[in-house]
Amino acid sequence: MTDISDRQQLSYIAAQAADARVNLELETEGMTLNIGPQHPATHGTLRIVAKLDGEQVIAADPVMGYMHRGYEKLSEVRTYPQVTTLINRIDWLGSFANEVPFILAAERLMEVEAPPRAQWIRTILFEMSRIANVVLFLGDMAVQVGAVTPVFFAFRDREHILNQIEGATGGRFHPNFDRIGGLKDDLPAGWVAETKQVMKKMRAFCDEIETLVMGNEIFQARTRGIGVIPADVGLSYGLSGANIRGSGVDWDVRRDNPCGLAYDQVDWKVWTHPDGDSFSRFWVRLQETREATKIVDQLLDGIPAGPIMAKVPRIIKVPAGEAFVETENPLGVMGYYVVSKGDLVPYRVKIRSASFNNMSITPWLLKGVYVPDIITILGSLYFILGDIDR
Amino acid sequence: MSSNDASTDVEVVEEAAEPDTAREAVVEQLTAELGDAFVASHLEPGIDLTVRVTPEAWGDTGAFLRTGMGFAYFNFLSAIDWMPSPFGRDMDSQVDLTLGHDEKSEIDSTIETGTTGGDTRFQVFARVNDIVNHLAVTVKADVPDDSLTVPSWVATYGGANWHEREAWEMFGISFDGHPGLRHIYLPGEFEGNPLRKDYPLLARRVKPWPGIVDVEAMPGDDDEDDASTSADAGGEP
């Protein structure tokens, strides 16, 4: 471990030096390379304008907004329950997790608390969204270094999770299951036992990925020491999730501020990795997926009995006030700043999405790397375009 | 279920029984550092803290929070337009009608700012976290109506760069010292500031029958129409 860290430190220094680098050995010429908006490595419509000197990046500027849908504006004309249908579409791989912080913010303003049973089921579905989302990353990260098989395994095994989410909520991608004051429905019969089986399958998938990808020599060479983010830089850019825990920062909203969710009821661990490179971000996500299956298993064992909805008025008017609630979503910290003036519609909703902050470090991070490393670094930061563009 | 005065009194006492020393200390520290520039604060014990500073002190507040108080984590930065929408309280959503609002009811244009008060139409607000002590603070500042400019936070928090570009684009607020204020989501030639309350959301407008009435003619057709009508007008008399 120590000699790797040394190497990473050296590469970080090299990346810094590249900023003011003068190439004396080769006559290179500056050129601009456009990656995207339609490129397999950009997870959607993202364009990166990279200024190159030879094969080295001297400046990289992401251009987004190709899919900007204006959810903050639209939220101002939709009632609180209607907003959940919009925010489902922000991070489309872990939709249920998007709904939770907004619903919690509305509940805080209304001074309503969901019954314990609803909180537990919420937490279970939240973690299942995380698995459904991150599983795809684990496969996709291998694609960025040239291995195609793992992503097929990921799609294959994600089906099990999606089937379970569909079984409980009726929707595979956009559950729209969360309500102010609780949940739309109770769990169907036999769902708990089936989900436990699925969790076993997901743990097997994690083992498979570990043997297939993590020990692979090419994967190690392409990710170790590449894209190093020091902890203080990561913090000042507002990175979250595995991106900041991969830099050794021990911070997880699930543990540190579990408002309205049942994380403090179960036994689990926050994973961190000290290196801060592309590999450590992959490693943290793999451990987190395993940990998520364990959280779900424990929660499934102890779902409290009782109602799933608190008493809320039929027409929801939220009292005037301001509330910010953030949760640890699959991509990182997601929060909603809801300003209410006592109307049926929110006055202002600020969506703090994880990927927007996570991407904002790329101009700093891509400086000095080589062209193929752009792909692995972007892959390891793991963003969803809907989460950036909103 | 009985909501008599005694029970509400007890609740108040309970809330007061657990003072939030950590957040109160943050308020004290900020007051000591900023002096008169510290305008107001709103503390929800055990939940959250919002403070308001003067626009001149906006940049210094960020720098002090990061270097002097350990709020190393940049969470977000954005703005609020407090002017009520000129299109009505709920804009043009149908819920207005179902709840018996008179459609022609007067549009209240008085500006009410949120929990920490304010004097201007726009406010910038940002949130930073202290991830060691698990504290967070939302900082707000009025944006001067005549210049719509506040100091930039980019030098303090690198992550503020994109957030300020977004606030500039959506609200038209400039950030003094930002390295490159340019569009981030919208096309470069886009005009207007979409998140301002007086920017209409045309997708929600119901058009009178037969639906689409204001189709613009294609540029070519337009010329022909003009030419023909003028020719007609000139030819008839």
Side-chain angles (χ1 to χ4, degrees):
Chain A
M1 197 61 111
T2 47
D3 78 316
I4 292 158
S5 294
D6 287 345
R7 215 170 73 202
Q8 275 148 6
Q9 239 171 3
L10 281 176
S11 90
Y12 169 58
I13 294 163
Q16 293 290 295
D19 200 3
R21 165 182 166 278
V22 182
N23 194 333
L24 298 172
E25 295 150 25
L26 292 171
E27 274 187 29
T28 54
E29 205 178 313
M31 72 172 266
T32 305
L33 177 69
N34 273 293
I35 302 174
Q38 298 292 340
H39 187 279
T42 56
H43 304 255
T45 47
L46 173 77
R47 175 172 153 226
I48 293 167
V49 185
K51 292 208 169 57
L52 307 179
D53 174 28
E55 236 186 304
Q56 203 158 26
V57 179
I58 50 174
D61 187 21
V63 180
M64 56 273 189
Y66 292 96
M67 219 183 66
H68 184 235
R69 293 151 292 174
Y71 285 161
E72 290 182 17
K73 184 79 175 176
L74 291 173
S75 303
E76 291 170 10
V77 295
R78 277 160 170 76
T79 60
Y80 284 86
Q82 283 172 339
V83 170
T84 55
T85 61
L86 290 177
I87 59 185
N88 256 309
R89 272 106 179 134
I90 291 177
D91 162 18
W92 48 68
L93 295 179
S95 312
F96 183 81
N98 294 332
E99 302 171 14
V100 175
F102 178 79
I103 296 288
L104 289 174
E107 283 179 358
R108 180 181 287 176
L109 285 171
M110 291 180 76
E111 291 174 4
V112 172
E113 196 174 341
R117 187 175 174 83
Q119 290 186 8
W120 281 61
I121 297 173
R122 246 181 218 175
T123 318
I124 291 167
L125 287 169
F126 195 99
E127 284 306 301
M128 286 176 71
S129 309
R130 180 188 313 282
I131 299 167
N133 184 321
V134 179
V135 154
L136 221 51
F137 161 79
L138 296 173
D140 183 69
M141 187 64 199
V143 174
Q144 315 294 350
V145 299
V148 186
T149 316
V151 81
F152 293 127
F153 288 1
F155 274 113
R156 180 196 67 194
D157 287 339
R158 191 175 69 130
E159 282 300 294
H160 304 305
I161 290 274
L162 290 184
N163 288 341
Q164 287 315 105
I165 292 178
E166 186 185 17
T169 67
R172 288 172 77 78
F173 282 113
H174 304 304
N176 205 10
F177 193 60
D178 215 354
R179 297 284 186 273
I180 293 174
L183 292 168
K184 177 169 165 281
D185 260 323
D186 211 333
L187 294 175
W191 190 84
V192 170
E194 278 174 38
T195 310
K196 289 203 126 181
Q197 289 304 312
V198 169
M199 288 304 131
K200 263 187 206 156
K201 285 181 188 153
M202 297 327 291
R203 275 194 288 274
F205 168 80
C206 288
D207 295 342
E208 205 170 31
I209 285 286
E210 189 158 9
T211 46
L212 254 178
V213 181
M214 223 156 75
N216 183 292
E217 206 176 305
I218 299 169
F219 184 78
Q220 297 242 352
R222 290 289 305 280
T223 54
R224 289 219 144 169
I226 306 286
V228 179
I229 303 174
D232 58 327
V233 178
L235 289 174
S236 85
Y237 276 93
L239 262 57
S240 52
N243 292 334
I244 197 73
R245 286 193 288 276
S247 296
V249 177
D250 188 16
W251 181 51
D252 194 316
V253 175
R254 287 179 287 174
R255 179 196 61 195
D256 299 336
N257 189 15
C259 56
L261 294 171
Y263 288 111
D264 45 356
Q265 313 283 321
V266 291
D267 186 28
W268 61 286
K269 176 178 179 336
V270 176
W271 292 88
T272 60
H273 195 286
D275 288 351
D277 55 7
S278 302
F279 180 82
S280 66
R281 292 190 276 277
F282 179 86
W283 186 88
V284 168
R285 285 213 176 83
L286 182 66
Q287 304 304 330
E288 277 183 3
T289 314
R290 268 210 199 104
E291 203 67 39
T293 62
K294 287 176 196 159
I295 295 174
V296 173
D297 265 351
Q298 291 178 50
L299 287 170
L300 286 171
D301 285 335
I303 305 175
I308 50 152
M309 267 302 269
K311 281 209 166 97
V312 286
R314 213 176 144 69
I315 294 172
I316 289 172
K317 265 194 163 186
V318 174
E322 295 169 37
F324 180 78
V325 174
E326 57 189 1
T327 51
E328 189 77 29
N329 278 39
L331 297 162
V333 171
M334 181 171 208
Y336 293 85
Y337 196 95
V338 180
V339 180
S340 174
K341 282 199 173 179
D343 288 337
L344 294 157
V345 298
Y347 185 76
R348 166 103 171 91
V349 179
K350 162 69 191 164
I351 305 169
R352 182 259 192 253
S353 64
S355 294
F356 186 70
N357 276 30
N358 288 347
M359 271 300 283
S360 70
I361 200 173
T362 47
W364 182 89
L365 190 60
L366 293 180
K367 211 179 269 180
V369 304
Y370 290 99
V371 174
D373 292 340
I374 296 178
I375 308 300
T376 53
I377 290 173
L378 286 180
S380 76
L381 283 175
Y382 191 40
F383 52 88
I384 299 281
L385 251 291
D387 207 34
I388 301 176
D389 281 357
R390 303 196 300 274
Chain B
M1 280 277 107
S2 64
S3 61
N4 53 27
D5 288 343
S7 71
T8 50
D9 279 350
V10 169
E11 276 175 22
V12 171
V13 170
E14 271 177 358
E15 276 177 17
E18 18 180 310
D20 195 336
T21 48
R23 288 188 175 82
E24 276 164 17
V26 172
V27 174
E28 273 169 32
Q29 231 178 322
L30 275 172
T31 320
E33 168 71 17
L34 297 170
D36 290 343
F38 187 92
V39 184
S41 69
H42 176 79
L43 196 147
E44 295 166 77
I47 299 176
D48 213 345
L49 170 66
T50 311
V51 300
R52 186 158 75 88
V53 299
T54 60
E56 296 80 30
W58 173 251
D60 297 339
T61 310
F64 180 68
L65 281 168
R66 177 159 188 213
T67 54
M69 295 177 66
F71 286 85
Y73 185 79
F74 174 78
N75 206 326
F76 69 80
L77 184 149
S78 191
I80 306 179
D81 181 0
W82 287 109
M83 188 186 80
S85 166
F87 308 105
R89 260 165 87 80
D90 293 336
M91 220 169 176
D92 35 4
S93 60
Q94 295 100 333
V95 287
D96 250 12
L97 308 174
T98 56
L99 283 188
H101 282 294
D102 186 4
E103 205 177 344
K104 292 224 164 67
S105 65
E106 77 298 337
I107 290 166
D108 187 9
S109 61
T110 49
I111 290 180
E112 287 169 42
T113 43
T115 46
T116 52
D119 310 311
T120 53
R121 177 180 168 188
F122 292 104
Q123 272 187 337
V124 287
F125 69 122
R127 189 178 174 88
V128 289
N129 292 42
D130 175 357
I131 60 165
V132 180
N133 301 313
H134 310 312
L135 281 175
V137 57
T138 308
V139 192
K140 286 185 183 176
D142 288 346
V143 181
D145 282 326
D146 48 352
S147 70
L148 291 184
T149 305
V150 290
S152 169
W153 271 21
V154 175
T156 314
Y157 295 100
N161 189 326
W162 283 18
H163 289 257
E164 286 179 0
R165 273 171 71 188
E166 190 190 354
W168 170 79
E169 169 177 75
M170 294 294 170
F171 293 94
I173 296 167
S174 293
F175 292 88
D176 196 14
H178 189 282
L181 278 179
R182 57 205 157 85
H183 284 290
I184 188 162
Y185 283 135
L186 303 171
E189 61 271 19
F190 192 93
E191 285 177 21
N193 306 105
L195 276 181
R196 285 191 179 182
K197 286 283 178 183
D198 52 6
Y199 190 93
L201 186 54
L202 294 173
R204 297 281 288 194
R205 298 257 137 181
V206 179
K207 286 178 176 157
W209 184 258
I212 306 166
V213 290
D214 52 358
V215 178
E216 288 177 29
M218 295 294 284
D221 301 345
D222 207 30
D223 287 345
E224 277 175 22
D225 285 352
D226 283 351
S228 62
T229 48
S230 61
D232 286 350
E236 276 204 11

